[in-house]
Amino acid sequence: MKTKQLALFFLVQLFCIVNVTAQQDNPVEYMNMIEKAEEEANQKYLAYVSTAAHSGRVKKIERMRQQVLDGIVSSRNKVIGLPLFKGDKALWQSSIDYLKLLYLVFSEDYAKIVNMEDIAEQSFNEMQAYLLLQEKTSEKLAEASEKRRVATKEFAARNNVQLVDGGTNEFAEKMNKASDVVEYRNVVYLLFFKCNWQWNEMNKAIKTNKVTDIEQARNAVITYAKDGLAVLDTMKNFSGDPSLANACKYALNQFKRMSENDVPKMTDFILKNENFEKVKKSFDSKPQRDRTQQDIDAYNKAVNEMNAAVNTFNSTGKFIGDTQSNIINTYNKADKDFADRHTPYFKK
């Protein structure tokens, strides 16, 4: 199953700057110089996470991560080359600190995320850890951004510059929207993954003919499906778009239906096969001259039941295999279409 890349975004609160002075070398120009110096790092970073969100696999765009690191270094060098504003180091230092943390996140934390991408598929706990690492990394970026915002605000206050929070900055709006999309996709995907992962565990049990394990896994699938559907019923549509939630509902309902109606046919075959082996062993152990008509009838009945069970097992196995593939393909397409519709595109 294709892992969903749950891209990380930091929320930068940008400002509309109202210049209340008219001098050539004023604090507004200095603030703009700092933001301009950071521009390359921010643009390459956003291009990376945008591409990751739309492509679905971070390993496919690993080359871009190095470009982000190069962009951060370039921006940091530009900031270092700027003079202090009338001896005031605070804003300059906040930019340096912000870029330093951004570099650490992309060189260390994000590298861990890339390495965990395939491992996350192996168990539900691994997937939870994968998502948690992303959340913690995103929190680091958000904290760094907030410190950078506060430094800008304090600098403006010291230098009689009026700031209007928010404004209509397209850059900030795109980042906030992208973050919301990722958060929503994460919640829905984890509901889907949990049920699909448990279904795969049940398939492993079917291959080993362990009826007790099959029943435990089957009941777990039903429970996870019901729990997931209950969560989805309480979730609001994202920007009026119910498509991803509906795809997840379809998947969970299918897993639930197959677990309730089709999987028991598989366990029935295993039980009939075990019974057939016992009857056959008993039948073969008797010399032909000692076999009674009752023995022959019991053996023939077991053979007929076994042949019918084999046909049911094969047809049911093909049906649930094809259905699972359809479920996964349908969900992956819905998720990609959802990301393409709602995740802003950022260009380098």
Side-chain angles (χ1 to χ4, degrees), residues 49 82 86 106 116 138 167 187 199 216 249 255 267 280 287-289 328:
V49 293
L82 296 176
K86 299 179 180 179
F106 263 85
M116 285 182 67
S138 184
V187 173
W199 178 268
Q216 289 178 345
K249 287 180 181 179
F255 282 128
T267 55
K280 185 176 184 301
Q288 188 172 359
R289 64 179 179 275
I328 293 171

Side-chain angles (χ1 to χ4, degrees), residues 57 78 86 99 106 108 126 148 164 189 287 311 347:
R57 296 284 286 187
K78 291 175 182 177
K86 299 179 180 179
L99 292 169
F106 263 85
E108 297 178 9
E126 292 290 353
R148 175 71 179 81
V164 180
Y189 177 66
N311 292 333
K347 296 181 179 180

Side-chain angles (χ1 to χ4, degrees), residues 172-235:
E173 288 179 354
K174 283 186 176 182
M175 287 194 293
N176 289 332
K177 177 66 179 295
S179 179
D180 291 342
V181 172
V182 169
E183 182 178 355
Y184 183 86
R185 289 174 68 200
N186 286 3
V187 173
V188 177
Y189 177 66
L190 196 54
L191 298 175
F192 169 80
F193 178 86
K194 188 174 186 178
C195 204
N196 185 69
W197 178 84
Q198 187 61 55
W199 178 268
N200 288 332
E201 291 299 296
M202 185 188 65
N203 281 335
K204 293 177 183 177
I206 291 176
K207 291 178 180 179
T208 60
N209 297 325
K210 296 180 179 179
V211 175
T212 300
D213 292 347
I214 295 171
E215 283 301 295
Q216 289 178 345
R218 183 178 76 88
N219 289 327
V221 171
I222 295 172
T223 298
Y224 293 159
K226 288 180 178 178
D227 292 345
L229 289 168
V231 172
L232 290 168
D233 285 340
T234 65
M235 290 178 61

Side-chain angles (χ1 to χ4, degrees), residues 8-16 35 38-39 41-43 45-46 98-99 102 138-152 164-179 346:
L8 304 174
F9 294 86
F10 62 100
L11 305 179
V12 177
Q13 178 64 58
L14 297 180
F15 299 101
C16 294
E35 288 190 6
E38 294 173 347
E39 187 175 60
N42 287 332
Q43 286 184 345
Y45 164 60
L46 290 172
Y98 163 71
L99 292 169
L102 195 62
S138 184
E139 288 174 6
K140 285 184 182 180
L141 293 168
E143 290 171 3
S145 175
E146 175 61 15
K147 289 180 180 179
R148 175 71 179 81
R149 187 193 72 84
V150 170
T152 297
V164 180
D165 284 344
T168 58
N169 188 282
E170 181 182 2
F171 186 73
E173 288 179 354
K174 283 186 176 182
M175 287 194 293
N176 289 332
K177 177 66 179 295
S179 179
F346 298 93

Side-chain angles (χ1 to χ4, degrees), residues 305-316:
E305 288 180 346
M306 186 61 187
N307 288 335
V310 167
N311 292 333
T312 301
F313 180 86
N314 289 337
S315 61
T316 302

Side-chain angles (χ1 to χ4, degrees), residues 275 279 283 293-303:
N275 179 66
V279 172
F283 187 78
Q293 187 61 44
Q294 185 178 3
D295 292 332
I296 295 173
D297 290 343
Y299 178 77
N300 288 336
K301 180 182 178 182
V303 169

